[in-house]
Amino acid sequence: QSIQPWIIMPTSRLKSFWNTAMIVLLLYTATYMPYQTCFIDEISPIMQRVDNIIDAFFMFDIVINFISAE
């Protein structure tokens, strides 16, 4: 059997990079979001945009996990 071209193998550089990026984004979310919730009353439009982009990365991560061979 041949592997389909859209399947991402666990040993690929793309998957390693993606996992590292997700770890960094998770650390940001786990540290900054509680701080923002407790101590910041108004969120600037730039930070709102950054949060939306990070949310989009997490949604795309779901797709990446569906096409990964792990």
Side-chain angles (χ1 to χ4, degrees), residues 18 22 25 46-60:
W18 185 258
M22 287 296 105
L25 292 177
I46 293 172
M47 285 309 295
Q48 183 64 41
R49 220 172 265 140
V50 168
D51 289 342
N52 289 340
I53 291 169
I54 291 172
D55 289 342
F57 272 105
F58 285 133
M59 286 187 283
F60 189 64

Side-chain angles (χ1 to χ4, degrees), residues 12-25:
S12 72
R13 295 183 106 197
L14 173 68
K15 185 66 175 173
S16 296
F17 174 77
W18 185 258
N19 286 338
T20 304
M22 287 296 105
I23 289 170
V24 170
L25 292 177

Side-chain angles (χ1 to χ4, degrees), residues 29 44 52:
T29 302
S44 69
N52 289 340

